[in-house]
Amino acid sequence: MKALVTGFEPFGGEALNPSLVAIRRLPARLGDIALTAAVLPVVYDEVLPRLRAAIASAAPDIVLCTGLAGGRPALSLERVAINIDDARIPDNAGNQPIDRPVAADGPPAYFATLPLKAAVAALRNAGLPAIVSNSAGTFLCNHAFYGLMHEAVRAEPGRVFRGGFLHVPYLPEQAARVPDAPSMALDQIVAGIQIILAVAAAHTDDLLVGEGALA
Amino acid sequence: MKALVTGFEPFGGEALNPSLVAIRRLPARLGDIALTAAVLPVVYDEVLPRLRAAIASAAPDIVLCTGLAGGRPALSLERVAINIDDARIPDNAGNQPIDRPVAADGPPAYFATLPLKAAVAALRNAGLPAIVSNSAGTFLCNHAFYGLMHEAVRAEPGRVFRGGFLHVPYLPEQAARVPDAPSMALDQIVAGIQIILAVAAAHTDDLLVGEGALA
Amino acid sequence: MKALVTGFEPFGGEALNPSLVAIRRLPARLGDIALTAAVLPVVYDEVLPRLRAAIASAAPDIVLCTGLAGGRPALSLERVAINIDDARIPDNAGNQPIDRPVAADGPPAYFATLPLKAAVAALRNAGLPAIVSNSAGTFLCNHAFYGLMHEAVRAEPGRVFRGGFLHVPYLPEQAARVPDAPSMALDQIVAGIQIILAVAAAHTDDLLVGEGALA
Amino acid sequence: MKALVTGFEPFGGEALNPSLVAIRRLPARLGDIALTAAVLPVVYDEVLPRLRAAIASAAPDIVLCTGLAGGRPALSLERVAINIDDARIPDNAGNQPIDRPVAADGPPAYFATLPLKAAVAALRNAGLPAIVSNSAGTFLCNHAFYGLMHEAVRAEPGRVFRGGFLHVPYLPEQAARVPDAPSMALDQIVAGIQIILAVAAAHTDDLLVGEGALA
């Protein structure tokens, strides 16, 4: 079993990105899962080529992309990626697409194919705040998540993989400079990623438990 | 130009639903738009047949479904409906589907076809807090919104319509019983619906302005 | 029975202050209460002289000062004024005192002497979101509230009055320009002020009901 | 230099209280500060006798009481304790006082005498989210904080101490069971307490920097 985990470079004036700091702390093996970590740029034109190259190189069974959701208090496993870019701020190359599809030939959305609810249950059992989220936003995180799942459906036989996206909170040192912002310690983000990978490696079917949102 | 506006019955123990109270206050005409209002039940098995019947009867050019998003402070125009039911609470008939598609034969999502950003700009110009939202949740509101857009793509020539979904805040009298909940006055919700309809009637193309979310 | 109601001038770059807009909409009489409205400047050195002058002129039985609490969703009746100025932003004259007492000779705090809990109950019965708040902040609102109560304890016999402070939310047209900010319609703020005054005029004793905060 | 640090027993149905878990992890010495930890009961009639006994026994120069503020994302150094009990829930003995003074003979409030702003600056420099808070609520935390400062002003010569109160967030394992609740890792709470104590031991004067709240 091979897993690829990605994190993003810093953006929006931040000096660090917890998703990047976290994936650099992952071990090379997790039980019988071989882990590969890859860094993704916060640049619309570069992120999917880089992601595809990492997938081609790692030939993973599972891909978990991770990114920052500043202001959220919990690990957020994203349910769905939507086929739209609507950038509230410029990316790190200065591009700011508005209402442009991620993939002109793609469907309106993709659902994650990792067992989100089993992962959320395992995270909570380990004492980590976690939710299923119904929106990955419309910036680079959603773009990468959509691109990941678009790649997954086109994978050749023998290269099939399952995929998902995890949004992580600010690190405490980031939240220390933002009024009223929740945060999560790095150790817990790193532990959370490993729990998700272990659950994803062990289960292809998900739990049938409610984690929905009224609105 | 004909418009159909729907609101939901109360649910979750609430005595009223602001979306229902609001649509009952709409006039029969708005400029040269003829308005029809229809009530939707908060019951999975009944809501789409009722919606289809209302569409068949009204033969609208525009459909705006509305529902309650308790806890949100602004009028929220929903960008996307996703093909999933994941009910956090039972519907009014006691059903609580989990991770079931809205339409087994449908695509993973539909985007609204009303000019959301032009509507948000007009709402703000009128002094009404408004946003583009990237998740309508996974309960009856998303279900109805998805069903609406699924119907739209299958409409016969001559019966084509554009559609969207508006989430409204609690009324003040509801928020008075919920600690720390934001609300919006009924007059403003009613005014907001009329502004959205007027914008939708006047524009098929949307503004190209950013209203995206980082996460 | 005579009541004085004050509101503040705009500050912090806002074009209006809902407390000021609201008090200008008050009638001259409310049942058998004669109302006087006075405008307070958002200037540390001027606000208490102006307030004392208004009190001297109106000779009120009740004084309700009002101000803006941008970001709060409910009418907030303040329980306590504290003897400290700690300005997060400059006042309208450019002054920004830090950790300076409001009154060098005053006690550390004053409690409101209006029946807060009876007022909150009446507001909710009228469908208006309302709370008892345990902090009026450390800017001009707390300064005026403290100065008001400091004046009350030194009033000459025959000029005794009871006093309190109401924080009001943003108006909708303000919240339309602030992401995720709750608001309250002007009609409701105006109605709320009248309800508080009527309750304060009718009751000197308060209800003994819990409205406390854990933290 | 001797410091007393207190934490509270669990309450409100929680299995643990992070303030208690944290103080049990403190070392016996911190540089040249000798630390004593004491547990306070969440019972109105017992907490101040227990606190006074701990003070009499430890003869501290500094007392830092700590308690849980579930829902807050940062370490909150409380500026002021007010002379009121208004319990939203019963204490652990079933008592629920409403609008009763903490001390019938006491002033309306006490300000903390630890250098709050220097402590907040040091916490942030260490990467820990921290604020000065203007309300400790009206439950046991405020009661203990008020009682602490009431005791401080009556201390005999030679037994004089400075005091303050720290509210800490939920632990992650608590937040994992509360929707949308922020949390802080135990290591960080423990580190934060030590930073506050070190700053308080080193400084009697505070920094003159703004940490105020508009409302």
Side-chain angles (χ1 to χ4, degrees):
Chain A
M1 178 75 68
K2 290 182 287 184
L4 171 65
V5 186
T6 71
F8 273 107
E9 290 179 349
F11 67 97
E14 292 282 345
L16 55 82
N17 188 318
S19 69
L20 179 54
V21 181
I23 67 161
R24 285 184 169 150
R25 292 265 303 262
L26 292 172
R29 292 201 69 83
L30 181 67
D32 57 358
I33 313 169
L35 298 190
T36 303
V39 183
L40 297 182
V42 181
V43 176
Y44 277 103
D45 294 343
E46 299 174 15
V47 61
L48 295 184
R50 192 84 70 92
L51 176 59
R52 282 191 288 263
I55 292 170
S57 165
D61 302 289
I62 294 166
V63 183
L64 181 67
C65 295
T66 71
L68 168 64
R72 295 198 197 174
L75 296 170
S76 302
L77 278 158
E78 298 295 344
R79 191 195 291 264
V80 64
I82 60 176
N83 193 7
I84 199 89
D85 291 331
D86 189 4
R88 211 180 73 198
I89 59 173
D91 71 12
N92 286 351
N95 301 306
Q96 192 168 2
I98 299 201
D99 292 352
R100 185 183 73 181
V102 179
D105 63 334
Y110 285 109
F111 288 96
T113 49
L114 302 182
L116 305 186
K117 293 178 172 184
V120 162
L123 290 165
R124 290 183 190 150
N125 282 342
L128 298 173
I131 61 162
V132 173
S133 163
N134 297 306
S135 174
T138 59
F139 194 51
L140 264 295
C141 289
N142 175 73
H143 184 91
F145 181 19
Y146 185 95
L148 170 70
M149 303 314 296
H150 196 52
E151 191 71 8
V153 297
R154 300 187 297 185
E156 293 174 15
R159 301 303 287 266
V160 170
F161 62 88
R162 292 177 290 139
F165 194 95
L166 175 71
H167 263 124
V168 305
Y170 280 130
L171 290 175
E173 56 262 43
Q174 295 179 289
R177 290 174 290 104
V178 181
D180 227 30
S183 61
M184 185 173 283
L186 179 58
D187 284 352
Q188 297 178 319
I189 296 173
V190 173
I193 292 172
Q194 297 184 58
I195 288 168
I196 295 164
L197 293 172
V199 168
H203 301 280
T204 49
D205 284 351
D206 202 355
L207 298 177
L208 203 63
V209 295
E211 293 287 346
L214 292 185
Chain B
M1 176 76 68
K2 289 183 288 185
L4 171 66
V5 185
T6 73
F8 272 107
E9 291 178 348
F11 67 96
E14 292 281 345
L16 55 83
N17 188 319
S19 69
L20 181 53
V21 180
I23 66 162
R24 285 184 170 150
R25 292 265 301 261
L26 292 172
R29 293 200 68 83
L30 180 67
D32 57 358
I33 313 168
L35 298 190
T36 304
V39 182
L40 297 182
V42 181
V43 176
Y44 278 103
D45 295 343
E46 299 175 17
V47 61
L48 294 185
R50 192 85 69 89
L51 176 58
R52 283 192 287 264
I55 292 169
S57 166
D61 302 289
I62 293 165
V63 183
L64 180 68
C65 294
T66 72
L68 169 64
R72 294 199 197 172
L75 296 170
S76 302
L77 278 159
E78 297 295 345
R79 190 194 294 263
V80 62
I82 60 175
N83 193 6
I84 200 86
D85 291 331
D86 189 3
R88 211 180 74 199
I89 60 173
D91 72 12
N92 286 351
N95 300 307
Q96 192 168 3
I98 300 206
D99 290 353
R100 186 184 71 181
V102 179
D105 63 335
Y110 286 108
F111 289 96
T113 48
L114 302 182
L116 304 187
K117 293 177 171 184
V120 162
L123 290 165
R124 290 183 189 150
N125 282 343
L128 298 173
I131 61 162
V132 173
S133 163
N134 296 307
S135 173
T138 58
F139 194 50
L140 264 294
C141 290
N142 175 72
H143 184 92
F145 181 20
Y146 185 96
L148 170 69
M149 303 314 296
H150 196 50
E151 191 70 9
V153 297
R154 300 187 297 185
E156 294 175 14
R159 301 304 287 265
V160 170
F161 61 88
R162 291 177 291 137
F165 195 95
L166 175 71
H167 263 124
V168 304
Y170 280 130
L171 290 175
E173 56 261 44
Q174 294 179 291
R177 290 174 291 103
V178 181
D180 229 27
S183 60
M184 186 174 281
L186 179 57
D187 284 352
Q188 296 178 318
I189 295 174
V190 173
I193 292 172
Q194 296 184 58
I195 287 168
I196 295 164
L197 293 172
V199 169
H203 301 278
T204 50
D205 285 350
D206 202 356
L207 298 177
L208 202 65
V209 293
E211 293 288 344
L214 292 185
Chain C
M1 176 76 67
K2 289 183 287 184
L4 171 66
V5 186
T6 72
F8 273 108
E9 291 178 348
F11 68 97
E14 291 281 345
L16 55 83
N17 188 319
S19 69
L20 180 54
V21 180
I23 66 161
R24 286 184 169 151
R25 291 265 302 260
L26 291 173
R29 293 200 68 83
L30 181 66
D32 56 358
I33 314 169
L35 298 189
T36 304
V39 183
L40 297 182
V42 181
V43 176
Y44 277 104
D45 295 343
E46 299 175 16
V47 62
L48 295 185
R50 193 84 70 89
L51 177 59
R52 283 192 287 263
I55 292 170
S57 164
D61 302 289
I62 294 165
V63 183
L64 181 68
C65 295
T66 71
L68 168 63
R72 295 198 196 173
L75 296 170
S76 302
L77 277 157
E78 297 296 344
R79 191 194 292 263
V80 63
I82 59 176
N83 193 6
I84 199 89
D85 290 331
D86 189 4
R88 210 179 74 199
I89 59 172
D91 71 12
N92 286 351
N95 301 307
Q96 192 169 3
I98 299 205
D99 291 353
R100 185 183 72 181
V102 179
D105 63 335
Y110 285 109
F111 288 96
T113 48
L114 302 183
L116 305 187
K117 293 177 171 185
V120 162
L123 290 165
R124 289 183 190 151
N125 282 343
L128 298 173
I131 61 161
V132 174
S133 164
N134 297 306
S135 174
T138 59
F139 194 49
L140 264 295
C141 289
N142 174 73
H143 185 91
F145 181 19
Y146 185 96
L148 170 70
M149 304 314 296
H150 196 51
E151 191 70 9
V153 296
R154 300 187 296 185
E156 295 174 13
R159 301 303 288 266
V160 171
F161 62 88
R162 292 178 291 137
F165 194 95
L166 175 71
H167 263 125
V168 304
Y170 280 129
L171 290 175
E173 57 260 45
Q174 295 179 291
R177 290 174 291 104
V178 181
D180 228 30
S183 61
M184 185 174 282
L186 178 58
D187 284 352
Q188 296 178 319
I189 295 174
V190 173
I193 292 172
Q194 297 184 58
I195 288 168
I196 295 165
L197 293 171
V199 168
H203 302 279
T204 50
D205 285 350
D206 202 356
L207 297 177
L208 203 64
V209 295
E211 292 289 345
L214 293 184
Chain D
M1 177 75 68
K2 288 183 289 184
L4 171 65
V5 185
T6 72
F8 273 108
E9 291 178 347
F11 68 96
E14 291 282 345
L16 56 83
N17 188 319
S19 68
L20 180 53
V21 180
I23 66 161
R24 286 184 169 149
R25 292 265 302 261
L26 292 172
R29 294 200 67 84
L30 181 67
D32 56 358
I33 314 168
L35 298 190
T36 304
V39 183
L40 297 182
V42 181
V43 176
Y44 278 104
D45 295 344
E46 299 175 16
V47 61
L48 294 185
R50 192 83 71 89
L51 176 58
R52 283 190 289 263
I55 292 170
S57 165
D61 303 289
I62 294 165
V63 183
L64 181 68
C65 294
T66 71
L68 168 64
R72 295 198 197 172
L75 297 171
S76 302
L77 278 158
E78 297 295 345
R79 191 194 291 263
V80 63
I82 59 176
N83 193 5
I84 199 87
D85 291 331
D86 188 3
R88 210 179 76 197
I89 59 173
D91 71 11
N92 286 351
N95 301 307
Q96 193 169 2
I98 299 203
D99 290 353
R100 186 183 71 181
V102 179
D105 63 336
Y110 285 110
F111 288 95
T113 48
L114 301 183
L116 305 187
K117 293 177 171 185
V120 162
L123 290 165
R124 290 182 190 151
N125 281 343
L128 298 174
I131 60 162
V132 174
S133 163
N134 297 307
S135 174
T138 59
F139 195 49
L140 264 294
C141 289
N142 175 72
H143 185 91
F145 181 20
Y146 186 96
L148 169 70
M149 303 315 295
H150 196 51
E151 191 70 8
V153 296
R154 299 187 298 185
E156 295 174 13
R159 301 303 286 266
V160 171
F161 62 88
R162 291 177 291 138
F165 194 96
L166 175 71
H167 263 124
V168 304
Y170 280 130
L171 290 175
E173 56 261 45
Q174 295 179 291
R177 290 174 291 103
V178 181
D180 228 29
S183 60
M184 186 174 282
L186 179 57
D187 285 352
Q188 297 178 318
I189 295 174
V190 174
I193 292 172
Q194 297 184 57
I195 288 168
I196 296 164
L197 292 171
V199 169
H203 301 278
T204 49
D205 284 351
D206 202 357
L207 298 177
L208 202 65
V209 294
E211 292 287 345
L214 293 185

